[in-house]
PDB file of all heavy atoms in Angstrom:
ATOM      1  N   ILE A   6      41.220  42.885  59.342  1.00 98.00           N
ATOM      2  CA  ILE A   6      42.597  43.296  59.066  1.00 98.00           C
ATOM      3  C   ILE A   6      42.603  44.793  58.709  1.00 98.00           C
ATOM      4  O   ILE A   6      41.835  45.217  57.827  1.00 98.00           O
ATOM      5  CB  ILE A   6      43.169  42.490  57.865  1.00 98.00           C
ATOM      6  CG1 ILE A   6      43.114  40.994  58.198  1.00 98.00           C
ATOM      7  CG2 ILE A   6      44.577  42.945  57.560  1.00 98.00           C
ATOM      8  CD1 ILE A   6      43.400  40.125  56.970  1.00 98.00           C
ATOM      9  N   SER A   7      43.470  45.547  59.379  1.00 98.00           N
ATOM     10  CA  SER A   7      43.432  47.008  59.190  1.00 98.00           C
ATOM     11  C   SER A   7      44.766  47.626  59.595  1.00 98.00           C
ATOM     12  O   SER A   7      45.498  47.070  60.416  1.00 98.00           O
ATOM     13  CB  SER A   7      42.320  47.553  60.101  1.00 98.00           C
ATOM     14  OG  SER A   7      42.492  48.906  60.380  1.00 98.00           O
ATOM     15  N   VAL A   8      45.070  48.787  59.065  1.00 97.00           N
ATOM     16  CA  VAL A   8      46.202  49.569  59.545  1.00 97.00           C
ATOM     17  C   VAL A   8      45.794  50.468  60.750  1.00 97.00           C
ATOM     18  O   VAL A   8      46.657  51.054  61.388  1.00 97.00           O
ATOM     19  CB  VAL A   8      46.879  50.455  58.453  1.00 97.00           C
ATOM     20  CG1 VAL A   8      47.642  49.586  57.471  1.00 97.00           C
ATOM     21  CG2 VAL A   8      45.860  51.318  57.733  1.00 97.00           C
ATOM     22  N   LEU A   9      44.492  50.548  60.998  1.00 97.00           N
ATOM     23  CA  LEU A   9      44.007  51.389  62.108  1.00 97.00           C
ATOM     24  C   LEU A   9      42.992  50.654  62.956  1.00 97.00           C
ATOM     25  O   LEU A   9      41.837  51.088  63.075  1.00 97.00           O
ATOM     26  CB  LEU A   9      43.366  52.659  61.535  1.00 97.00           C
ATOM     27  CG  LEU A   9      44.284  53.725  60.946  1.00 97.00           C
ATOM     28  CD1 LEU A   9      43.453  54.798  60.277  1.00 97.00           C
ATOM     29  CD2 LEU A   9      45.158  54.322  62.047  1.00 97.00           C
ATOM     30  N   ASN A  37      46.522  43.978  63.197  1.00 98.00           N
ATOM     31  CA  ASN A  37      47.163  45.223  62.704  1.00 98.00           C
ATOM     32  C   ASN A  37      48.103  44.839  61.580  1.00 98.00           C
ATOM     33  O   ASN A  37      49.099  44.107  61.797  1.00 98.00           O
ATOM     34  CB  ASN A  37      47.916  45.891  63.848  1.00 98.00           C
ATOM     35  CG  ASN A  37      48.318  47.296  63.498  1.00 98.00           C
ATOM     36  OD1 ASN A  37      48.486  47.616  62.305  1.00 98.00           O
ATOM     37  ND2 ASN A  37      48.489  48.140  64.503  1.00 98.00           N
ATOM     38  N   LEU A  38      47.801  45.364  60.395  1.00 98.00           N
ATOM     39  CA  LEU A  38      48.605  45.007  59.212  1.00 98.00           C
ATOM     40  C   LEU A  38      50.077  45.403  59.403  1.00 98.00           C
ATOM     41  O   LEU A  38      50.983  44.758  58.861  1.00 98.00           O
ATOM     42  CB  LEU A  38      48.028  45.682  57.975  1.00 98.00           C
ATOM     43  CG  LEU A  38      48.579  45.196  56.646  1.00 98.00           C
ATOM     44  CD1 LEU A  38      48.324  43.713  56.429  1.00 98.00           C
ATOM     45  CD2 LEU A  38      48.008  46.007  55.507  1.00 98.00           C
ATOM     46  N   ARG A  39      50.290  46.463  60.197  1.00 98.00           N
ATOM     47  CA  ARG A  39      51.657  46.924  60.502  1.00 98.00           C
ATOM     48  C   ARG A  39      52.556  45.776  61.029  1.00 98.00           C
ATOM     49  O   ARG A  39      53.722  45.732  60.783  1.00 98.00           O
ATOM     50  CB  ARG A  39      51.655  47.952  61.591  1.00 98.00           C
ATOM     51  CG  ARG A  39      51.631  49.381  61.350  1.00 98.00           C
ATOM     52  CD  ARG A  39      52.653  50.090  60.603  1.00 98.00           C
ATOM     53  NE  ARG A  39      51.894  51.114  59.923  1.00 98.00           N
ATOM     54  CZ  ARG A  39      52.164  51.673  58.786  1.00 98.00           C
ATOM     55  NH1 ARG A  39      53.259  51.359  58.157  1.00 98.00           N
ATOM     56  NH2 ARG A  39      51.386  52.569  58.286  1.00 98.00           N
ATOM     57  N   ASP A  40      51.918  44.866  61.794  1.00 98.00           N
ATOM     58  CA  ASP A  40      52.683  43.723  62.356  1.00 98.00           C
ATOM     59  C   ASP A  40      53.270  42.834  61.254  1.00 98.00           C
ATOM     60  O   ASP A  40      54.153  42.030  61.519  1.00 98.00           O
ATOM     61  CB  ASP A  40      51.772  42.860  63.273  1.00 98.00           C
ATOM     62  CG  ASP A  40      51.295  43.647  64.471  1.00 98.00           C
ATOM     63  OD1 ASP A  40      51.927  44.685  64.819  1.00 98.00           O
ATOM     64  OD2 ASP A  40      50.288  43.231  65.096  1.00 98.00           O
ATOM     65  N   PHE A  41      52.755  42.992  60.044  1.00 98.00           N
ATOM     66  CA  PHE A  41      53.250  42.189  58.913  1.00 98.00           C
ATOM     67  C   PHE A  41      54.018  43.092  57.937  1.00 98.00           C
ATOM     68  O   PHE A  41      54.365  42.678  56.832  1.00 98.00           O
ATOM     69  CB  PHE A  41      52.087  41.526  58.187  1.00 98.00           C
ATOM     70  CG  PHE A  41      51.342  40.552  59.079  1.00 98.00           C
ATOM     71  CD1 PHE A  41      50.340  41.005  59.940  1.00 98.00           C
ATOM     72  CD2 PHE A  41      51.664  39.202  59.086  1.00 98.00           C
ATOM     73  CE1 PHE A  41      49.662  40.126  60.770  1.00 98.00           C
ATOM     74  CE2 PHE A  41      50.996  38.325  59.911  1.00 98.00           C
ATOM     75  CZ  PHE A  41      49.990  38.778  60.755  1.00 98.00           C
ATOM     76  N   GLY A  42      54.281  44.354  58.351  1.00 98.00           N
ATOM     77  CA  GLY A  42      54.920  45.330  57.492  1.00 98.00           C
ATOM     78  C   GLY A  42      56.382  44.944  57.228  1.00 98.00           C
ATOM     79  O   GLY A  42      56.976  44.172  57.958  1.00 98.00           O
ATOM     80  N   LEU A  43      56.918  45.533  56.160  1.00 98.00           N
ATOM     81  CA  LEU A  43      58.273  45.157  55.714  1.00 98.00           C
ATOM     82  C   LEU A  43      59.328  46.094  56.287  1.00 98.00           C
ATOM     83  O   LEU A  43      59.118  47.310  56.322  1.00 98.00           O
ATOM     84  CB  LEU A  43      58.341  45.199  54.184  1.00 98.00           C
ATOM     85  CG  LEU A  43      57.324  44.354  53.405  1.00 98.00           C
ATOM     86  CD1 LEU A  43      57.649  44.403  51.923  1.00 98.00           C
ATOM     87  CD2 LEU A  43      57.308  42.902  53.894  1.00 98.00           C
ATOM     88  N   GLY A  44      60.442  45.497  56.728  1.00 98.00           N
ATOM     89  CA  GLY A  44      61.606  46.291  57.147  1.00 98.00           C
ATOM     90  C   GLY A  44      61.415  46.974  58.476  1.00 98.00           C
ATOM     91  O   GLY A  44      60.430  46.767  59.184  1.00 98.00           O
ATOM     92  N   HIS A  46      60.757  49.973  59.112  1.00 97.00           N
ATOM     93  CA  HIS A  46      59.646  50.911  59.224  1.00 97.00           C
ATOM     94  C   HIS A  46      58.276  50.236  59.090  1.00 97.00           C
ATOM     95  O   HIS A  46      57.252  50.890  59.045  1.00 97.00           O
ATOM     96  CB  HIS A  46      59.764  52.017  58.164  1.00 97.00           C
ATOM     97  CG  HIS A  46      60.987  52.829  58.358  1.00 97.00           C
ATOM     98  ND1 HIS A  46      61.175  53.647  59.422  1.00 97.00           N
ATOM     99  CD2 HIS A  46      62.130  52.944  57.607  1.00 97.00           C
ATOM    100  CE1 HIS A  46      62.335  54.247  59.335  1.00 97.00           C
ATOM    101  NE2 HIS A  46      62.954  53.820  58.263  1.00 97.00           N
ATOM    102  N   ARG A  47      58.320  48.904  59.016  1.00 98.00           N
ATOM    103  CA  ARG A  47      57.069  48.121  58.915  1.00 98.00           C
ATOM    104  C   ARG A  47      56.188  48.646  57.797  1.00 98.00           C
ATOM    105  O   ARG A  47      54.985  48.912  57.958  1.00 98.00           O
ATOM    106  CB  ARG A  47      56.318  48.143  60.243  1.00 98.00           C
ATOM    107  CG  ARG A  47      57.095  47.601  61.404  1.00 98.00           C
ATOM    108  CD  ARG A  47      56.325  46.530  62.116  1.00 98.00           C
ATOM    109  NE  ARG A  47      57.155  45.686  62.982  1.00 98.00           N
ATOM    110  CZ  ARG A  47      57.600  44.468  62.667  1.00 98.00           C
ATOM    111  NH1 ARG A  47      57.315  43.935  61.519  1.00 98.00           N
ATOM    112  NH2 ARG A  47      58.340  43.781  63.492  1.00 98.00           N
ATOM    113  N   GLN A  48      56.810  48.782  56.642  1.00 97.00           N
ATOM    114  CA  GLN A  48      56.121  49.370  55.478  1.00 97.00           C
ATOM    115  C   GLN A  48      54.975  48.494  54.984  1.00 97.00           C
ATOM    116  O   GLN A  48      55.122  47.279  54.846  1.00 97.00           O
ATOM    117  CB  GLN A  48      57.171  49.561  54.365  1.00 97.00           C
ATOM    118  CG  GLN A  48      56.615  50.305  53.170  1.00 97.00           C
ATOM    119  CD  GLN A  48      57.633  50.405  52.055  1.00 97.00           C
ATOM    120  OE1 GLN A  48      58.782  49.894  52.173  1.00 97.00           O
ATOM    121  NE2 GLN A  48      57.245  51.018  50.958  1.00 97.00           N
ATOM    122  N   VAL A  49      53.837  49.121  54.757  1.00 97.00           N
ATOM    123  CA  VAL A  49      52.662  48.377  54.243  1.00 97.00           C
ATOM    124  C   VAL A  49      52.132  48.931  52.911  1.00 97.00           C
ATOM    125  O   VAL A  49      51.267  48.349  52.292  1.00 97.00           O
ATOM    126  CB  VAL A  49      51.492  48.364  55.258  1.00 97.00           C
ATOM    127  CG1 VAL A  49      51.866  47.580  56.515  1.00 97.00           C
ATOM    128  CG2 VAL A  49      51.027  49.775  55.614  1.00 97.00           C
ATOM    129  N   ASP A  50      52.687  50.097  52.497  1.00 97.00           N
ATOM    130  CA  ASP A  50      52.198  50.691  51.257  1.00 97.00           C
ATOM    131  C   ASP A  50      53.358  51.219  50.428  1.00 97.00           C
ATOM    132  O   ASP A  50      54.466  51.435  50.935  1.00 97.00           O
ATOM    133  CB  ASP A  50      51.224  51.838  51.547  1.00 97.00           C
ATOM    134  CG  ASP A  50      51.858  52.965  52.331  1.00 97.00           C
ATOM    135  OD1 ASP A  50      52.778  52.697  53.132  1.00 97.00           O
ATOM    136  OD2 ASP A  50      51.433  54.113  52.171  1.00 97.00           O
ATOM    137  N   ASP A  51      53.122  51.357  49.128  1.00 96.00           N
ATOM    138  CA  ASP A  51      54.198  51.812  48.227  1.00 96.00           C
ATOM    139  C   ASP A  51      53.551  52.558  47.045  1.00 96.00           C
ATOM    140  O   ASP A  51      52.333  52.482  46.872  1.00 96.00           O
ATOM    141  CB  ASP A  51      55.025  50.625  47.750  1.00 96.00           C
ATOM    142  CG  ASP A  51      56.459  51.030  47.411  1.00 96.00           C
ATOM    143  OD1 ASP A  51      56.702  52.234  47.178  1.00 96.00           O
ATOM    144  OD2 ASP A  51      57.315  50.119  47.334  1.00 96.00           O
ATOM    145  N   GLU A  52      54.420  53.206  46.245  1.00 96.00           N
ATOM    146  CA  GLU A  52      53.908  53.973  45.087  1.00 96.00           C
ATOM    147  C   GLU A  52      53.361  53.039  44.022  1.00 96.00           C
ATOM    148  O   GLU A  52      53.867  51.932  43.855  1.00 96.00           O
ATOM    149  CB  GLU A  52      55.035  54.802  44.516  1.00 96.00           C
ATOM    150  CG  GLU A  52      55.427  55.947  45.444  1.00 96.00           C
ATOM    151  CD  GLU A  52      56.754  56.576  45.088  1.00 96.00           C
ATOM    152  OE1 GLU A  52      57.387  56.123  44.104  1.00 96.00           O
ATOM    153  OE2 GLU A  52      57.167  57.490  45.807  1.00 96.00           O
ATOM    154  N   MET A  60      49.019  56.070  47.445  1.00 96.00           N
ATOM    155  CA  MET A  60      49.830  54.882  47.676  1.00 96.00           C
ATOM    156  C   MET A  60      48.966  53.630  47.555  1.00 96.00           C
ATOM    157  O   MET A  60      47.739  53.685  47.627  1.00 96.00           O
ATOM    158  CB  MET A  60      50.403  54.926  49.093  1.00 96.00           C
ATOM    159  CG  MET A  60      51.295  56.152  49.321  1.00 96.00           C
ATOM    160  SD  MET A  60      52.825  56.082  48.375  1.00 96.00           S
ATOM    161  CE  MET A  60      53.881  55.279  49.579  1.00 96.00           C
ATOM    162  N   VAL A  61      49.640  52.495  47.380  1.00 96.00           N
ATOM    163  CA  VAL A  61      48.932  51.225  47.192  1.00 96.00           C
ATOM    164  C   VAL A  61      49.321  50.269  48.328  1.00 96.00           C
ATOM    165  O   VAL A  61      50.502  50.172  48.672  1.00 96.00           O
ATOM    166  CB  VAL A  61      49.340  50.581  45.829  1.00 96.00           C
ATOM    167  CG1 VAL A  61      48.622  49.248  45.616  1.00 96.00           C
ATOM    168  CG2 VAL A  61      49.035  51.531  44.683  1.00 96.00           C
ATOM    169  N   MET A  62      48.374  49.575  48.901  1.00 97.00           N
ATOM    170  CA  MET A  62      48.703  48.602  49.935  1.00 97.00           C
ATOM    171  C   MET A  62      49.404  47.407  49.291  1.00 97.00           C
ATOM    172  O   MET A  62      48.925  46.819  48.334  1.00 97.00           O
ATOM    173  CB  MET A  62      47.437  48.161  50.673  1.00 97.00           C
ATOM    174  CG  MET A  62      46.851  49.283  51.540  1.00 97.00           C
ATOM    175  SD  MET A  62      45.239  48.888  52.238  1.00 97.00           S
ATOM    176  CE  MET A  62      45.732  47.965  53.674  1.00 97.00           C
ATOM    177  N   MET A  63      50.598  47.102  49.854  1.00 98.00           N
ATOM    178  CA  MET A  63      51.480  46.106  49.232  1.00 98.00           C
ATOM    179  C   MET A  63      50.966  44.674  49.418  1.00 98.00           C
ATOM    180  O   MET A  63      50.285  44.355  50.397  1.00 98.00           O
ATOM    181  CB  MET A  63      52.863  46.202  49.858  1.00 98.00           C
ATOM    182  CG  MET A  63      53.510  47.534  49.736  1.00 98.00           C
ATOM    183  SD  MET A  63      54.912  47.678  50.848  1.00 98.00           S
ATOM    184  CE  MET A  63      56.146  46.802  49.889  1.00 98.00           C
ATOM    185  N   ILE A  64      51.392  43.824  48.486  1.00 98.00           N
ATOM    186  CA  ILE A  64      50.899  42.454  48.526  1.00 98.00           C
ATOM    187  C   ILE A  64      51.504  41.611  49.664  1.00 98.00           C
ATOM    188  O   ILE A  64      50.767  40.848  50.311  1.00 98.00           O
ATOM    189  CB  ILE A  64      51.094  41.733  47.149  1.00 98.00           C
ATOM    190  CG1 ILE A  64      50.406  40.373  47.155  1.00 98.00           C
ATOM    191  CG2 ILE A  64      52.590  41.616  46.784  1.00 98.00           C
ATOM    192  CD1 ILE A  64      50.254  39.743  45.761  1.00 98.00           C
ATOM    193  N   GLU A  65      52.807  41.800  49.969  1.00 98.00           N
ATOM    194  CA  GLU A  65      53.423  40.862  50.953  1.00 98.00           C
ATOM    195  C   GLU A  65      52.785  40.904  52.326  1.00 98.00           C
ATOM    196  O   GLU A  65      52.407  39.836  52.849  1.00 98.00           O
ATOM    197  CB  GLU A  65      54.936  41.126  51.102  1.00 98.00           C
ATOM    198  CG  GLU A  65      55.767  40.786  49.912  1.00 98.00           C
ATOM    199  CD  GLU A  65      56.228  41.994  49.176  1.00 98.00           C
ATOM    200  OE1 GLU A  65      55.356  42.906  48.979  1.00 98.00           O
ATOM    201  OE2 GLU A  65      57.399  42.068  48.795  1.00 98.00           O
ATOM    202  N   PRO A  66      52.606  42.099  52.963  1.00 98.00           N
ATOM    203  CA  PRO A  66      51.994  42.094  54.292  1.00 98.00           C
ATOM    204  C   PRO A  66      50.583  41.521  54.270  1.00 98.00           C
ATOM    205  O   PRO A  66      50.204  40.742  55.155  1.00 98.00           O
ATOM    206  CB  PRO A  66      51.961  43.588  54.698  1.00 98.00           C
ATOM    207  CG  PRO A  66      52.973  44.263  53.810  1.00 98.00           C
ATOM    208  CD  PRO A  66      53.012  43.474  52.553  1.00 98.00           C
ATOM    209  N   LEU A  67      49.800  41.856  53.247  1.00 98.00           N
ATOM    210  CA  LEU A  67      48.418  41.374  53.167  1.00 98.00           C
ATOM    211  C   LEU A  67      48.380  39.873  52.971  1.00 98.00           C
ATOM    212  O   LEU A  67      47.635  39.165  53.650  1.00 98.00           O
ATOM    213  CB  LEU A  67      47.680  42.084  52.032  1.00 98.00           C
ATOM    214  CG  LEU A  67      47.285  43.530  52.307  1.00 98.00           C
ATOM    215  CD1 LEU A  67      46.785  44.247  51.043  1.00 98.00           C
ATOM    216  CD2 LEU A  67      46.178  43.557  53.391  1.00 98.00           C
ATOM    217  N   HIS A 113      42.902  51.023  52.451  1.00 86.00           N
ATOM    218  CA  HIS A 113      43.389  52.383  52.777  1.00 86.00           C
ATOM    219  C   HIS A 113      44.140  52.925  51.588  1.00 86.00           C
ATOM    220  O   HIS A 113      44.426  52.201  50.651  1.00 86.00           O
ATOM    221  CB  HIS A 113      44.320  52.317  53.997  1.00 86.00           C
ATOM    222  CG  HIS A 113      43.668  52.897  55.197  1.00 86.00           C
ATOM    223  ND1 HIS A 113      43.752  54.211  55.525  1.00 86.00           N
ATOM    224  CD2 HIS A 113      42.854  52.314  56.099  1.00 86.00           C
ATOM    225  CE1 HIS A 113      43.014  54.422  56.607  1.00 86.00           C
ATOM    226  NE2 HIS A 113      42.459  53.297  56.968  1.00 86.00           N
ATOM    227  N   TYR A 114      44.510  54.175  51.675  1.00 77.00           N
ATOM    228  CA  TYR A 114      45.236  54.819  50.586  1.00 77.00           C
ATOM    229  C   TYR A 114      44.422  54.637  49.282  1.00 77.00           C
ATOM    230  O   TYR A 114      43.203  54.744  49.304  1.00 77.00           O
ATOM    231  CB  TYR A 114      46.640  54.264  50.474  1.00 77.00           C
ATOM    232  CG  TYR A 114      47.289  54.065  51.845  1.00 77.00           C
ATOM    233  CD1 TYR A 114      47.556  52.801  52.313  1.00 77.00           C
ATOM    234  CD2 TYR A 114      47.561  55.158  52.672  1.00 77.00           C
ATOM    235  CE1 TYR A 114      48.093  52.606  53.573  1.00 77.00           C
ATOM    236  CE2 TYR A 114      48.103  54.974  53.928  1.00 77.00           C
ATOM    237  CZ  TYR A 114      48.357  53.713  54.391  1.00 77.00           C
ATOM    238  OH  TYR A 114      48.886  53.513  55.616  1.00 77.00           O
ATOM    239  N   GLY A 116      44.071  51.899  47.676  1.00 94.00           N
ATOM    240  CA  GLY A 116      43.513  50.560  47.555  1.00 94.00           C
ATOM    241  C   GLY A 116      44.600  49.499  47.676  1.00 94.00           C
ATOM    242  O   GLY A 116      45.723  49.799  48.050  1.00 94.00           O
ATOM    243  N   ILE A 117      44.252  48.252  47.364  1.00 97.00           N
ATOM    244  CA  ILE A 117      45.193  47.123  47.522  1.00 97.00           C
ATOM    245  C   ILE A 117      45.741  46.701  46.170  1.00 97.00           C
ATOM    246  O   ILE A 117      45.082  46.875  45.133  1.00 97.00           O
ATOM    247  CB  ILE A 117      44.523  45.935  48.204  1.00 97.00           C
ATOM    248  CG1 ILE A 117      43.316  45.407  47.425  1.00 97.00           C
ATOM    249  CG2 ILE A 117      44.125  46.283  49.643  1.00 97.00           C
ATOM    250  CD1 ILE A 117      42.680  44.150  48.010  1.00 97.00           C
ATOM    251  N   ASP A 118      46.918  46.139  46.199  1.00 97.00           N
ATOM    252  CA  ASP A 118      47.534  45.555  44.992  1.00 97.00           C
ATOM    253  C   ASP A 118      46.542  44.550  44.399  1.00 97.00           C
ATOM    254  O   ASP A 118      45.994  43.695  45.124  1.00 97.00           O
ATOM    255  CB  ASP A 118      48.865  44.848  45.400  1.00 97.00           C
ATOM    256  CG  ASP A 118      49.648  44.380  44.176  1.00 97.00           C
ATOM    257  OD1 ASP A 118      49.096  43.615  43.358  1.00 97.00           O
ATOM    258  OD2 ASP A 118      50.843  44.743  44.082  1.00 97.00           O
ATOM    259  N   VAL A 121      46.241  40.824  45.333  1.00 98.00           N
ATOM    260  CA  VAL A 121      45.629  40.326  46.584  1.00 98.00           C
ATOM    261  C   VAL A 121      44.189  39.914  46.302  1.00 98.00           C
ATOM    262  O   VAL A 121      43.712  38.915  46.806  1.00 98.00           O
ATOM    263  CB  VAL A 121      45.636  41.446  47.661  1.00 98.00           C
ATOM    264  CG1 VAL A 121      44.997  40.960  48.950  1.00 98.00           C
ATOM    265  CG2 VAL A 121      47.045  41.953  47.909  1.00 98.00           C
TER     266      VAL A 121
END
Side-chain angles (χ1 to χ4, degrees):
I6 302 169
S7 158
V8 288
L9 288 172
N37 194 335
L38 192 61
R39 265 301 145 209
D40 296 340
F41 298 84
L43 305 185
H46 297 294
R47 301 234 163 258
Q48 187 183 359
V49 294
D50 61 330
D51 207 341
E52 289 164 2
M60 301 292 269
V61 180
M62 290 172 84
M63 301 166 81
I64 188 165
E65 292 106 315
L67 285 169
H113 252 270
Y114 319 112
I117 58 175
D118 188 305
V121 179

